[in-house]
Amino acid sequence: MLKLKRLFGDAEVPKDLALLLFIGGLYSLSIALSNTFVNIFLWKQSGKFLDIGIYNLAIVVFQPLTFILAGRWAKKIDRVIVLRIGVIFLALFFMVVLFWGKGADRHLVMLGSLLGIGYGFYWLAFNVLTFEITEPETRDFFNGFLGTLSSAGGVIGPISAGFMITRFESNAGYTLIFAISLALFALAVVLSFFIKRRPARGVYCFFRVMAERKNNINWRYVTNAHFLQGLRDGTFVFIISVFVFIATKSELALGTFGLINSGISFISYTLAGRFIRNSFRKKAMLIGGLILYGAIFLIIFNFSYPRLLIYAAVIAIAYPMMLVPYFSMTYDVIGKSWKAAEMRIEYVVVKEVFLNSGRIVSVLSFMAAVAFFNDEKSIPILLLFIGTGHGLAALIMQHVKLPHSMES
């Protein structure tokens, strides 16, 4: 057993849980280093909001489709192998971006589909392994420490990438950061070989678990909340970085934005993982969700760079308050649901289908707004509507009723 006493008191971390955390950390560092800048890379080639929407739509369409397939495979083969397939597809995405270079904007659907497939396999396996490896008493620790690692990657990644891009001429900087991301995913594949094999068995019952929403009100609350979470995430995940680049015309400025956001997130996730306990979960979610919506008003009518930096700081405090207890409650609900041990893969798949359904609605709404209306007028109005997602999700989760021992 490994003990990480300095950060998390006397929390005991089994080997597989530690390996899963490190793989998640490598994933986060690679995504932090490159993913934000892929949108800017494409924006600089195209200059059209609609094209950015097409790329992101391909991601969120292929991701849930892959989740459904990956769930079936996870019942037939080792879950660790499914995780490995996801990381390989993510590596393949960066290989293709490197191959196409300046012509990448002519292959938006293919690029988005590769990334969506990689996300689908990776997150299905990662979520199932999280459910299998963690226990109710270690989930807040795991989610908090994973958030800390993600934030640490976010501190290092964007500012380093922004610096490298601005130091090199033409697209040499982009080529370098995409190559580094490729190497990090390769390392994640190697680490996956050290996780204990987890043989698969059983019948895949996706539609039965989907129908369980009628019988289990807690499960219905969780899936509805995930749809609303996706409603915000779908567009906000890419539009803010584009706003920063439009306001500054500088990748280094975007890196600074990421540095501030992730630096504060690092502290916030550490504190959230250590201090948010079962009795405060619902209140923390609600406060975090309301702050996330209020933060939109900082940028909705004037996305100047100083305002965007303040926005970065505010959401860095709010997201951990919302997501650490939110994820923990989600897994607790699944753990107490019908045939949870046998059907845990199906529960994860259904949850992700609802999350990505929200993202699809979000991105389609964005594409409609920029295709049929003036960008400057339609985008702020759209953000006000879809930005309610996390706040509404937090409100829905207030109704979840867990056994007293899990809430006290």
Side-chain angles (χ1 to χ4, degrees):
M1 304 292 263
L2 302 175
K3 290 191 176 183
L4 304 178
K5 292 184 177 180
R6 291 185 179 180
L7 282 179
F8 295 99
D10 294 323
E12 293 186 345
V13 185
K15 176 186 172 183
D16 281 357
L17 191 148
L19 285 169
L20 193 62
L21 282 171
F22 284 125
I23 290 172
L26 287 172
Y27 168 89
S28 299
L29 177 58
S30 180
I31 293 298
L33 189 67
S34 296
N35 199 40
T36 296
F37 292 94
V38 172
N39 281 293
I40 303 306
F41 186 64
L42 297 174
W43 171 263
K44 290 176 73 173
Q45 293 181 26
S46 168
K48 297 178 181 178
F49 281 116
L50 187 60
D51 285 350
I52 300 299
I54 291 171
Y55 164 70
N56 282 277
L57 180 64
I59 295 172
V60 298
V61 167
F62 276 88
Q63 190 168 336
L65 294 176
T66 304
F67 256 101
I68 296 171
L69 174 63
R72 179 176 292 276
W73 285 11
K75 279 291 184 94
K76 303 294 182 183
I77 60 176
D78 195 308
R79 260 80 86 179
V80 179
I81 294 176
V82 177
L83 179 75
R84 208 170 293 152
I85 293 171
V87 177
I88 290 170
F89 264 96
L90 292 169
L92 182 61
F93 165 79
F94 286 107
M95 290 176 64
V96 172
V97 171
L98 287 168
F99 176 78
W100 287 116
K102 290 184 178 180
D105 66 320
R106 297 195 297 271
H107 306 277
L108 298 171
V109 174
M110 183 184 70
L111 288 173
S113 63
L114 282 174
L115 197 57
I117 291 169
Y119 284 158
F121 280 116
Y122 174 86
W123 282 114
L124 181 280
F126 193 90
N127 285 336
V128 171
L129 288 170
T130 297
F131 184 78
E132 292 180 344
I133 291 172
T134 65
E135 300 293 338
E137 60 270 16
T138 61
R139 281 175 191 147
D140 286 325
F141 158 77
F142 180 87
N143 290 321
F145 193 21
L146 181 62
T148 301
L149 289 176
S150 300
S151 298
V155 169
I156 299 168
I159 192 67
S160 301
F163 178 77
M164 284 187 281
I165 291 170
T166 54
R167 288 279 294 176
F168 291 92
E169 296 182 0
S170 185
N171 288 319
Y174 280 102
T175 300
L176 179 60
I177 64 167
F178 295 156
I180 293 172
S181 289
L182 178 60
L184 291 172
F185 280 125
L187 179 57
V189 171
V190 173
L191 284 179
S192 72
F193 282 94
F194 294 93
I195 296 180
K196 180 182 177 182
R197 296 292 297 271
R198 295 179 177 270
R201 62 183 182 273
V203 179
Y204 188 52
C205 301
F206 169 77
F207 291 105
R208 175 61 183 84
V209 172
M210 179 73 79
E212 182 63 14
R213 284 168 33 86
K214 297 178 181 178
N215 306 321
N216 184 339
I217 192 168
N218 280 344
W219 181 229
R220 186 158 73 245
Y221 287 143
V222 165
T223 50
N224 289 345
H226 276 73
F227 176 85
L228 291 167
Q229 177 195 351
L231 192 64
R232 175 182 170 119
D233 283 350
T235 296
F236 274 80
V237 74
F238 65 86
I239 195 62
I240 301 300
S241 60
V242 175
F243 280 173
V244 173
F245 187 75
I246 291 173
T248 63
K249 300 292 188 288
S250 168
E251 286 90 354
L252 185 58
L254 181 56
T256 303
F257 175 92
L259 174 65
I260 291 173
N261 177 257
S262 296
I264 297 173
S265 287
F266 181 88
I267 299 170
S268 299
Y269 270 112
T270 301
L271 295 174
R274 184 165 187 174
F275 294 112
I276 295 179
R277 293 295 176 255
N278 294 3
S279 59
F280 189 61
R281 279 178 175 178
K282 291 181 178 180
K283 291 180 182 178
M285 275 190 293
L286 189 58
I287 294 170
L290 292 175
I291 293 174
L292 284 171
Y293 186 67
I296 299 172
F297 291 90
L298 290 168
I299 60 170
I300 199 70
F301 301 114
N302 176 15
F303 57 84
S304 66
Y305 190 53
R307 283 175 170 266
L308 285 161
L309 292 180
I310 297 171
Y311 172 83
V314 172
I315 65 170
I317 295 171
Y319 265 118
M321 293 181 67
M322 168 72 193
L323 294 183
V324 168
Y326 178 75
F327 290 152
S328 297
M329 283 189 68
T330 294
Y331 285 116
D332 287 346
V333 167
I334 292 174
K336 293 296 180 180
S337 295
W338 174 77
K339 291 189 176 181
E342 181 182 346
M343 302 293 173
R344 54 182 169 266
I345 291 175
E346 287 87 341
Y347 280 106
V348 170
V349 172
V350 171
K351 172 180 74 70
E352 292 296 324
V353 166
F354 274 85
L355 176 64
N356 283 282
S357 296
R359 290 171 176 166
I360 290 170
V361 171
S362 179
V363 178
L364 285 174
S365 300
F366 172 81
M367 292 173 65
V370 299
F372 299 110
F373 303 99
N374 177 271
D375 296 349
E376 293 183 4
K377 294 180 179 180
S378 62
I379 292 178
I381 295 172
L382 175 70
L383 296 184
L384 283 174
F385 278 101
I386 64 175
T388 60
H390 281 78
L392 293 176
L395 284 172
I396 287 177
M397 293 294 282
Q398 303 300 303
H399 299 290
V400 171
K401 302 292 184 183
L402 291 168
H404 181 70
S405 61
M406 301 182 74
E407 292 187 314
S408 59

